[in-house]
Amino acid sequence: PQVVLMVPDSYNTGIIGSLSGSATNVTVANGTISGNGNVGGICGTSYKTVSHCTNYAQVFATGSSLGGICGNSLGTIEYCTNYGAVQNSSYGAGGLVGQQQVGSISHCANYGNVEGIKYVGGIAGWITTASSITNVISTGNVTETSNNGTAGLVVGRVQAALTLSGY
């Protein structure tokens, strides 16, 4: 079945809205997920670990922090893959995560196109506190529609210490 999840005025939108525990082996086969801010194919906001998850759905947001896997992450994203298009009419769009606040991203891949106004990245839209990104790949197109200069094949904007290897 096709997933259609639209919560236009809500934050923390995804198959899991707000994740305080861990999500493992979750697959969203197809469909559309859309909301205001903190929108992800798997979860809107994650405070722990998202592992071995896959998203094929298209993900849209009108507010900040949109990702193929998580809109906003304060934890670990590992062994996850996004195939869905990620499109944000605001800022903070990433193939895997819109905003990484703390933690790590490792052994992940993005194959979907990513588009946003600013802070647009193939893996993460923006990094706001010390984080690490290790062993990742992104082959989708990355498009920043505002010409703000904050788009990157891995990360759109880095505001804190970032350890980056194996990309």
Side-chain angles (χ1 to χ4, degrees), residues 77-147:
I77 299 173
E78 61 185 11
Y79 300 99
C80 292
T81 306
N82 176 59
Y83 293 95
V86 174
Q87 188 174 5
N88 193 345
S89 60
S90 187
Y91 61 94
L96 292 171
V97 62
Q99 179 181 8
Q100 182 73 30
Q101 291 193 44
V102 71
S104 65
I105 301 169
S106 66
H107 302 91
C108 292
N110 172 54
Y111 300 107
N113 294 331
V114 183
E115 182 178 310
I117 290 183
K118 62 181 180 178
Y119 310 166
V120 184
I123 299 298
W126 95 94
I127 305 293
T128 56
T129 57
S131 301
S132 68
I133 298 177
T134 308
N135 297 327
V136 296
I137 184 171
S138 180
T139 62
N141 294 323
V142 175
T143 305
E144 179 189 63
T145 59
S146 69
N147 294 321

